[in-house]
Every structure is written in C-alpha cells, then in structure tokens.
Amino acid sequence: MERSKAFTLLGLSENATSDDITDALDQAVFKVRDQFLRGAVIPKLAASRVERCVLLSDVAQTLGVVALGAPATVPQTLPLGDTLEGVVRGHVENVRRCRTAMAGTLDPDSVAQLGHMMANLQSEYMKAFLKHTESLVEGDQHASVPAREE
C-alpha cells in the first residue's frame, strides 16, 4: 500500500506525527471493534467489517505503527448442542467468548480474525436453528394475507 493512501484512509495529512497516526489507527480499529461488540452479528456486515480491519492492518504495516494492545488469542468454541436449547446456549457462549477476547485488544489482525470467526459461528447457528425448527412450520402453511388486513 502506498503511504499516501494509508494516510488518506486514516484521514491524516502526510506531515502527521507518529502520535497522530497511532491515535487515528486506534480510533479506526476501536470503531470497528465496537460495532462487533455491541451489534448483532450479521454475516454480510461482519465480512465488510473484517475487510476494513484487514485494510487497517495494511495501513499499520505501511506506516510502521504498532497496534494498541497485544494480539488476542482465539477462544475455544463449544459444539452446538443436539437440541434447540443446546444450539442456542452453545451459540450464545461462543459469541460471548469471541467478544470477550476481542474486548482486550485493538490489534486489527485480531479483530479481523475474531470478527470472521463470529460471522462463521452465526452462519452455523442459523443453519442449526433452521434445521431444528423446520418441523414446526412444515404443515402450518397459511394463505397470504394482504398487508392492509394484517
């Protein structure tokens, strides 16, 4: 990545001090990390946030900036249960573990890795949830109701 592009992505001019660069990078990573920590995990949105973190990692490498906080370790995940309750409990615990690990770092590589993991966990959860609940709606087909009469 070119230095000028890296400065542009951080919203800085080329004569910015190293403290300004570090602060801007930390703020950018914090913003993405905060979205992962506070919001629902939507796989498509998570993919764009992960891509943003990868871009910020490239910026850090180009400008020679060390991220605030050590890289986070990837947490051990639990398997999803065999029952619907087990699926939900397992998913909640797995996302909690990812968010806990993510909360301790502003390293863009770690945030990207954990965000990608959360998106994959969410996709697996949605598939397992649908598998367990499809029998509940198979024979329960209703005629469509116009929106005005809903």
Side-chain angles (χ1 to χ4, degrees):
M1 172 180 292
E2 295 177 11
R3 286 182 61 83
S4 59
K5 183 177 180 181
F7 280 112
T8 302
L9 288 171
L10 292 178
L12 298 172
S13 63
E14 296 224 17
N15 59 357
T17 66
S18 61
D19 287 340
D20 293 338
I21 295 168
T22 302
D23 288 345
L25 179 66
D26 290 345
Q27 287 176 7
V29 175
F30 180 86
K31 183 178 177 183
V32 176
R33 184 191 73 172
D34 192 54
Q35 292 170 338
F36 275 118
L37 294 177
R38 294 179 185 265
V41 180
I42 301 169
K44 291 284 185 184
L45 288 176
S48 67
R49 291 175 184 153
V50 166
E51 186 61 35
R52 175 75 176 157
C53 284
V54 170
L55 195 58
L56 291 172
S57 177
D58 291 345
V59 167
Q61 290 176 358
T62 300
L63 299 178
V65 178
V66 178
L68 185 63
T73 58
V74 176
Q76 189 74 15
T77 58
L78 299 174
L80 297 179
D82 293 332
T83 64
L84 183 58
E85 182 179 347
V87 167
V88 173
R89 286 181 185 272
H91 177 66
V92 168
E93 178 61 20
N94 288 337
V95 170
R96 186 196 63 76
R97 289 178 181 191
C98 286
R99 286 182 171 156
T100 300
M102 189 182 285
T105 188
L106 284 175
D107 177 43
D109 293 325
S110 294
V111 174
Q113 185 178 22
L114 291 166
H116 182 69
M117 184 177 184
M118 288 170 64
N120 288 341
L121 288 170
Q122 184 67 25
S123 294
E124 290 174 18
Y125 166 72
M126 291 186 313
K127 289 175 189 171
F129 187 87
L130 288 174
K131 179 182 162 196
H132 283 285
T133 58
E134 70 184 347
S135 64
L136 300 175
V137 294
E138 277 182 5
D140 197 18
Q141 300 296 329
H142 297 287
S144 61
V145 178
R148 292 188 183 278
E149 297 173 18
E150 183 70 28

